[in-house]
């Protein structure tokens, strides 16, 4: 036995029971991020999880191998109780999934190689031929495209409603969707939301959607893309959503150095998606999962700082004579939207739109003058980013629809990072002078 070999029967090295409560006090996610789901004893005492670079896992016995496969294939209920093959799952991804569940108060979570993989596999798991998807609008462009162009090839249609819709609007949309499904010979298979909408920051009333879906007698899941405010500023499972969806590429990854996605919710909603992921692949790779574990240790700190910075910057921008307005959740003008915000959100986020007086030319002069903020799409990183949606992320959206969505030529999209807030204000000040 070499010195570093571990005798798991020694009491000093026995696996410790997972602690999630102390004296009746539930430990907070920020505490659990440092250890939940990983026991150093099982990895030679390594304080941090090693990266498990392996495609397959050795079975203790042939009978164990059989039992694992019965779980994976659904022959035995309850799923797999051991690791089998890295397309299905692996240690780094399992720890990541355990920790992601904590933030949303979910029973189970699944990780994916990108936000779009998560969204596509989720929709494919629930949509059958001739079904109808109800969705809020606008969605992330690729999500909207997957529904309208890819699922359409399998006879799946959609009905959409604007993010700010009232309960009556939502009732009418659900009733239309039910009729549409009936006439196609299918069912309403999913209500898919994104809140706040990009780039307008319009919020969806998730509680109203929940009540409307229940009253309409629909048994399909309500899924919501929580990339812009999650996991810190919005927990949609608390408002009645069934499945929460993330592009982990944004705030959760938080350093603009990886691409990944996830979904979380009750096990009964995750199981069909897990089965399809087992078949198709698309699970996050171990290296990225490890990077996300590191990111999750600081996600609360980063998001708090970015949120505080955004509040400071928006205070400054709101008073500037060259600014026409701000689409910032900390400065909502509409009473109905404010009511949704008060019921659903714990913070205003750090991604907002800045409307300049003028049009594309003024926006371009502003963007080209920025010295700290980088000119790039994406959001939620440690660094401040700025872009022009009308000519970049939303260029492919038809002009009429762009106007409907409020994506005007004078709109600049900004995601505030964790730099010094006064440095950021100085940067915006000099860029506005150049407009
Ligand atoms: C970026 C993003 C996605 C797609 O995620 P990827 O990780 O780029 O695949 C989906 N939804 C929203 C709201 C996003 O911002």
């Amino acid at each position: 036995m070499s010195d570093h070999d571990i005798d798991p029967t020694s009491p000093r090295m026995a696996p410790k029971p997972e602690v999630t409560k102390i004296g009746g006090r539930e430990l907070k996610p920020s505490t659990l991020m440092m250890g939940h789901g990983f026991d150093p004893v099982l990895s030679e005492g390594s304080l941090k999880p090693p990266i498990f670079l392996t495609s397959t896992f050795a079975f203790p016995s042939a009978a164990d191998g059989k039992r694992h496969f019965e779980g994976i294939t659904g022959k035995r209920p309850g799923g797999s109780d051991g690791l089998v093959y890295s397309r299905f799952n692996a240690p780094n991804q399992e720890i990541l999934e355990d920790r992601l569940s904590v933030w949303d108060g979910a029973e189970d979570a699944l990780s994916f190689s990108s936000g779009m993989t998560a969204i596509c596999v989720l929709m494919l798991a629930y949509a059958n031929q001739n079904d109808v998807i109800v969705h809020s609008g606008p969605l992330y462009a690729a999500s909207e495209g997957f529904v309208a162009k890819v699922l359409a090839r399998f006879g799946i249609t959609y009905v959409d409603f604007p993010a700010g819709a009232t309960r009556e609007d939502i009732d009418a949309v659900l009733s239309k969707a039910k009729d549409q499904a009936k006439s196609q010979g299918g069912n309403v298979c999913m209500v898919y939301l994104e809140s706040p909408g990009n780039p307008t920051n319009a919020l969806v009333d998730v509680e109203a959607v929940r009540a409307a879906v229940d009253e309409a007698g629909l048994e399909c899941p309500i899924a919501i893309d929580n990339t812009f405010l999650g996991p810190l500023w919005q927990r949609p499972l608390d408002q009645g959503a069934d499945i929460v969806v993330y592009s982990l590429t944004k705030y959760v990854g938080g350093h603009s150095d990886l691409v990944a996605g996830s979904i979380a919710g009750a096990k009964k909603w995750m199981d069909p998606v897990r089965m399809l992921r087992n078949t198709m692949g698309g699970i996050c790779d171990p290296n990225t999962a490890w990077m996300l574990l590191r990111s999750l240790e600081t996600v609360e700190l980063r998001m708090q700082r970015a949120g505080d910075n955004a509040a400071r910057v928006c205070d400054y921008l709101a008073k500037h004579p060259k600014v026409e307005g701000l689409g910032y959740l900390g400065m909502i003008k509409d009473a109905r939207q404010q009511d949704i915000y008060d019921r659903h959100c714990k913070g205003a986020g750090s991604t907002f739109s800045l409307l300049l007086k003028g049009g594309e030319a003024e926006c371009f002069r502003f963007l080209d003058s920025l010295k700290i903020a980088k000119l790039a799409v994406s959001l939620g990183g440690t660094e401040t980013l700025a872009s022009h949606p009308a000519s970049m992320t939303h260029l492919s959206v038809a002009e009429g629809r762009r106007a409907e969505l409020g994506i005007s030529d004078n709109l600049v999209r900004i995601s505030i990072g964790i730099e010094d807030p006064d440095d950021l204000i100085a940067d915006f000040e000099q860029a506005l002078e150049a407009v």
Side-chain angles (χ1 to χ4, degrees), residues 114-116 119 140 143 194 225 227-228 247 249-250 259-260 379:
S114 74
M116 279 319 301
I119 293 164
Y140 184 70
S143 307
E194 187 172 316
D225 186 331
T227 300
F228 275 78
S247 167
T249 313
K250 314 295 165 54
V259 173
L379 61 123

Side-chain angles (χ1 to χ4, degrees), residues 344-366:
H344 291 26
C345 306
K346 295 193 187 83
S350 81
T351 304
F352 59 89
S353 31
L354 166 65
L355 296 151
L356 293 179
K357 288 181 181 155
E360 185 184 278
E362 283 73 16
C363 288
F364 280 18
R365 278 206 292 280
F366 173 75

Side-chain angles (χ1 to χ4, degrees), residues 116-311:
M116 279 319 301
T117 312
I119 293 164
C120 296
V121 177
L122 168 67
M123 287 182 176
L124 280 175
Y126 281 96
N128 289 302
Q129 195 177 10
N130 303 329
D131 279 353
V132 174
I133 290 184
V134 177
H135 75 77
S136 65
L139 298 180
Y140 184 70
S143 307
E144 219 165 280
F146 186 71
V147 174
K149 298 192 184 116
V150 181
L151 292 180
R153 300 193 339 238
F154 307 100
I156 296 150
T157 63
Y158 68 90
V159 180
D160 64 346
F161 64 91
T166 63
R167 172 67 199 273
E168 293 79 66
D169 297 336
I170 299 164
D171 285 337
V173 163
L174 291 183
S175 145
K176 180 179 164 199
K178 276 165 80 173
D179 291 346
Q180 191 165 312
K182 203 165 165 194
S183 74
Q184 286 172 198
N187 297 298
V188 177
C189 62
M190 176 172 284
V191 175
Y192 185 88
L193 313 173
E194 187 172 316
S195 183
N198 177 24
T200 51
N201 272 352
L203 294 167
V204 177
D205 190 338
V206 181
E207 287 176 327
V209 172
R210 173 80 269 162
V213 165
D214 290 346
E215 199 173 296
L218 291 170
E219 278 166 15
C220 66
I222 301 171
I224 176 167
D225 186 331
N226 197 35
T227 300
F228 275 78
L229 289 182
L232 204 65
W233 297 310
Q234 181 169 259
R235 289 213 331 175
L237 299 187
D238 296 346
Q239 277 85 49
D242 298 302
I243 301 170
V244 59
V245 179
Y246 287 96
S247 167
L248 302 174
T249 313
K250 314 295 165 54
Y251 285 99
V252 177
H255 298 72
S256 305
D257 56 4
L258 61 83
V259 173
S262 67
I263 64 169
K267 202 169 167 320
K268 74 161 180 173
W269 296 119
M270 295 298 104
D271 280 345
V273 190
R274 185 188 291 280
M275 291 297 277
L276 189 58
R277 188 185 68 173
N278 284 349
T279 303
M280 292 177 68
I283 190 169
C284 176
D285 69 276
N287 196 70
T288 303
W290 185 93
M291 288 175 64
L292 282 160
L293 293 179
R294 172 181 264 219
S295 291
L296 280 172
E297 296 186 5
T298 58
V299 68
E300 185 175 278
L301 276 180
R302 286 184 284 104
M303 290 182 80
Q304 277 168 350
R305 165 74 172 215
D308 291 348
N309 278 359

Side-chain angles (χ1 to χ4, degrees), residues 5 19 74 87 125-126 138 189 245 293 317 423:
D5 278 345
V19 176
R87 194 179 73 240
Y126 281 96
C189 62
V245 179
L293 293 179
L317 291 173
D423 287 350

